[in-house]
Amino acid sequence: MTLVAPSILSSDFAYLADEIKKIEAGGADWVHIDVMDGNFVPNLTFGAPVVKKIRPVTKMFFDCHLMVEAPEKYIKDFAEAGADMIVVHVEATRHLHRVVQFIKDKGLKAGVALNPATPLTCLEEILPYLDLVLIMSVNPGFGGQKFIDTSVDKIKKLRKMIDTRGLSVLIQVDGGINAEIGKIVCEAGADVLVAGSYIYGAEDCAQAIAALKI
């Protein structure tokens, strides 16, 4: 069954602890934490101090997606704050293997994210070292964007790349996810769905989460 990782970017920040408890009670698997620096993407969100504050709120898996330049500068802080996995962008660092190893050395799961225009060929050498690949199905920086249709073919190709090599790497998809799109990307090979406005904007978040468990 697909793992569901609600993005707290779409939550009410004034009641962040309650918003996390709500998705936990609703059956979510992970908490997706979008970290933006206003540099790599045109927005500012959470830092490690916020992660540290919300860590005692839940035992759910903390999936920290670092949309920041030079992510190697922040690995230690997020590891100490309570992250379970750190996902970095291939476009954001010159030494991807070193960053992935740094994450692993901290005892965390390591993932790599690809922007919509970034080809899968950039994963050729790093794929065996990863726990997860995040396919961005919108351009990162803002919630509530429309799903980019060509992402489906990209997911299919990545699924084949992983399976052909016999690897145990999860495929996560983030951007424009709802029940209809979720079904399409899962059929293409996705394992983890990130959804923000679809879940937090629903009248019944548990029902929205259940609709994504495909």
Side-chain angles (χ1 to χ4, degrees), residues 67-90:
M67 289 172 270
V68 302
E69 294 286 355
E72 55 271 20
K73 295 179 181 178
Y74 308 101
I75 304 303
K76 180 175 179 289
D77 289 342
F78 278 92
E80 291 177 353
D84 293 296
M85 176 167 67
I86 294 177
V87 179
V88 300
H89 273 260
V90 66

Side-chain angles (χ1 to χ4, degrees), residues 2-6 27-31 191-195 199 208-210 212-213:
T2 310
L3 296 173
V4 178
D29 301 288
W30 295 359
V31 179
D191 303 294
V192 187
L193 300 179
V194 177
I199 290 173
I209 290 168
L212 296 177
K213 287 185 173 284

Side-chain angles (χ1 to χ4, degrees), residues 2-35:
T2 310
L3 296 173
V4 178
S7 169
I8 57 172
L9 180 64
S10 296
S11 69
D12 186 339
F13 293 175
Y15 304 97
L16 194 48
D18 291 338
E19 295 280 69
I20 291 169
K21 289 175 183 176
K22 181 168 72 173
I23 59 170
E24 182 173 28
D29 301 288
W30 295 359
V31 179
H32 187 80
I33 302 169
D34 287 306
V35 179

Side-chain angles (χ1 to χ4, degrees), residues 17 20-21 23-24 29 31 53-62 84:
I20 291 169
K21 289 175 183 176
I23 59 170
E24 182 173 28
D29 301 288
V31 179
K53 286 290 186 183
I54 63 174
R55 180 67 278 183
V57 170
T58 179
K59 292 182 178 178
M60 275 198 296
F61 187 90
F62 273 16
D84 293 296

Side-chain angles (χ1 to χ4, degrees), residues 87-201:
V87 179
V88 300
H89 273 260
V90 66
E91 307 91 354
T93 182
R94 294 177 182 175
H95 303 289
L96 186 60
H97 182 273
R98 182 181 297 163
V99 176
V100 167
Q101 287 304 120
F102 190 19
I103 295 168
K104 294 274 196 174
D105 289 346
K106 293 294 179 184
L108 308 182
K109 302 286 187 183
V112 164
L114 275 65
N115 282 338
T118 302
L120 293 174
T121 50
C122 68
L123 295 174
E124 288 287 343
E125 303 302 326
I126 198 67
L127 195 59
Y129 301 94
L130 302 179
D131 297 292
L132 175 143
V133 174
L134 167 53
I135 297 295
M136 290 301 301
S137 47
V138 298
N139 287 292
F142 300 96
Q145 297 182 67
K146 187 173 184 259
F147 180 83
I148 297 172
D149 292 337
T150 51
S151 304
V152 177
D153 190 46
K154 195 173 187 179
I155 296 162
K156 288 178 180 177
K157 289 176 181 176
L158 176 58
R159 179 83 274 158
K160 185 176 180 181
M161 185 187 298
I162 291 168
D163 291 348
T164 299
R165 296 186 181 198
L167 300 173
S168 298
V169 181
L170 296 173
I171 298 175
Q172 185 180 64
V173 183
D174 182 0
I177 298 296
N178 55 33
E180 181 184 357
I181 297 296
K183 187 171 186 293
I184 292 169
V185 299
C186 285
E187 287 174 352
D191 303 294
V192 187
L193 300 179
V194 177
S197 54
Y198 174 70
I199 290 173
Y200 277 110

